[in-house]
Amino acid sequence: MKIDRVEVYLVRAGNLHPVIVRIVTDEGVSGIGEAGIAYGIGGTAAAGMVKDLAERLVVGRDPAQIEKLWCDMYDHSFWAKGGGAIVFAAISGIEQALWDIKGKVLGVPVHELLGGRVRDRIRVYANGWYGNAKTPSELARAAERPLRDGYGALKFYPLGEMGERGGMRHVSSRMVDRDAFALAVERVKAVRDAVGPDIELMVDLSGGLTTDETIRLCSRIEDSDLTWVEEPADPFDDGALRKISEKVRIPIAAGERVYTRHGFRRLLEPQSVAILQPDAGTAGGILEVRKIAAMAEAYNMRVAPHNCGSMVSTAAALQLSACMPNFMMLEVYPYFPERPGYVQVLEASPEAAIQGGSVDVPSAPGLGVQLHEGRMAPFLFARCEASA
């Protein structure tokens, strides 16, 4: 079996721009993956990087040699060594599609190829439930919906500036004024009061503040019994992360903007975080995240995979969540489809199967999902084919 072609789709879906990879073999078996740059800026760059890797290093190869192909992309793209989000998102999307093919050929879900499942159901937590809520009371009311839908854990952004169309702007220049600082504290307290003591609550600071202000903010919200505070420091600043973790009693979570097992060493060795959050769409793919989770086991740490993109990303993350012994819970955005301009890229959504804050381990071969051909056709960015 050889890889006959690679199709790259750059989807425009309101505020999101998922980059979807479809690999088709000469025997007609196809697999899909996602380069996890669905928000922020960089979708076009990631789609272009997938195209370059496909043309130079992927088309014409044996899709079963996943580790070999990964090593070749890492070693011979030049920029992967010490690289960042764009190159590893592209590698991740290709790698996911290769696992999807292998699972389909062997007739098993991907998690069975990674040691098999260690649980029957996968716990998830809701993000994106807050819409355009701005005031503490608006956030408190917004939290009622995911609770009605059975979610037992919620995450939100107390420093975020919410937009009218569901978008959010993070902190600029590492500082907020006194009013914004006080508002962040009140938001956390209001949501905790609204959801009660039995719901797990997490906050994401997106590395928005200076180290001293982050410590001060965390000290003000420690009484809200938070499961974790996420990205309290810029991912580049290892020293700040260590200092914050030494001063703050809330467990620290980080990893969505860290890439490969090599990048995660910087979090593991000083034990500056309690919970790792690798993303199968940016950290290097499914097997790379499985390796990162195994490293975390040696440091007695849990893993809560980061997940924000199309529902292809959710499908890949579910496979990993099924077979990680130190898995904690998985991030989902159940209300993304309600955003203006949203494009559902799959025939059926994994999120639709969530009940009571958890979902059954997938049992279909590969990633267990199928692209919606009609919806995807307008977004074809590149088609890379083997030469005749």
Side-chain angles (χ1 to χ4, degrees), residues 13-211:
N15 292 330
L16 298 175
H17 42 77
V19 177
I20 307 299
V21 183
R22 182 171 184 252
I23 296 178
V24 182
T25 71
D26 59 357
E27 296 184 16
V29 182
S30 65
I32 60 173
E34 180 167 353
I37 310 291
Y39 57 103
I41 295 172
T44 305
M49 192 69 192
V50 174
K51 176 179 180 292
D52 289 350
L53 289 171
E55 291 176 341
R56 296 286 295 276
L57 297 170
V58 175
V59 169
R61 303 284 295 277
D62 180 354
Q65 295 182 325
I66 300 173
E67 191 81 85
K68 172 62 174 169
L69 279 163
W70 196 98
C71 290
D72 284 351
M73 289 187 286
Y74 182 83
D75 290 329
H76 302 298
S77 61
F78 190 86
W79 295 111
K81 293 179 179 179
I86 300 304
V87 64
F88 285 116
I91 290 173
S92 298
I94 292 169
E95 192 259 13
Q96 290 175 24
L98 295 172
W99 280 109
D100 193 23
I101 289 170
K102 178 164 282 194
K104 289 175 179 176
V105 169
L106 297 176
V108 295
V110 169
H111 63 78
E112 290 293 344
L113 304 174
L114 298 174
R117 67 185 184 185
V118 294
R119 56 188 53 84
D120 295 324
R121 288 187 64 80
I122 296 167
R123 189 169 182 235
V124 299
Y125 69 89
N127 198 346
W129 50 268
Y130 32 77
N132 64 348
K134 298 179 178 63
T135 68
S137 60
E138 288 172 343
L139 278 165
R141 287 195 298 273
E144 295 173 3
R145 181 181 182 184
L147 298 190
R148 288 196 303 269
D149 291 340
Y151 290 93
L154 311 179
K155 187 174 81 177
F156 74 109
Y157 304 80
L159 293 167
E161 182 181 337
M162 306 302 172
E164 295 301 324
R165 292 169 59 85
M168 181 175 59
R169 184 176 178 82
H170 293 292
V171 176
S172 298
S173 303
R174 299 289 190 274
M175 64 185 70
V176 295
D177 61 26
R178 291 177 63 86
D179 289 342
F181 187 98
L183 176 62
V185 173
E186 291 306 312
R187 283 170 166 172
V188 174
K189 291 180 178 179
V191 175
R192 169 52 76 199
D193 288 344
V195 302
D198 297 330
I199 299 298
E200 290 198 71
L201 191 62
M202 296 81 72
V203 299
D204 189 340
L205 303 185
S206 296
L209 301 178
T210 58
T211 303

Side-chain angles (χ1 to χ4, degrees), residues 33 64 69 135 146 195 213 226 234 268 275 356-357:
L69 279 163
T135 68
V195 302
E213 284 290 87
L226 300 176
D234 190 295
L268 289 164
I275 299 151

Side-chain angles (χ1 to χ4, degrees), residues 293-304:
M295 292 169 65
E297 284 187 77
Y299 287 88
N300 203 29
M301 294 181 187
R302 291 180 291 178
V303 176

Side-chain angles (χ1 to χ4, degrees), residues 261-343:
R261 74 205 91 142
H262 310 295
F264 276 87
R265 279 181 59 191
R266 297 186 294 105
L267 301 181
L268 289 164
E269 289 176 350
Q271 300 194 49
S272 53
V273 303
I275 299 151
L276 293 189
Q277 297 176 299
D279 190 318
T282 54
I286 289 172
L287 184 56
E288 192 68 9
V289 171
R290 186 65 190 88
K291 292 176 181 178
I292 292 164
M295 292 169 65
E297 284 187 77
Y299 287 88
N300 203 29
M301 294 181 187
R302 291 180 291 178
V303 176
H306 178 262
N307 173 40
C308 180
S310 84
M311 292 172 183
V312 177
S313 284
T314 302
L318 286 172
Q319 298 295 330
L320 278 162
S321 302
C323 62
M324 284 183 198
N326 54 339
F327 167 78
M328 187 177 180
M329 52 183 161
L330 174 65
E331 180 174 28
V332 294
Y333 283 78
Y335 310 121
F336 261 175
E338 299 172 4
R339 291 189 175 187
Y342 184 82
V343 176

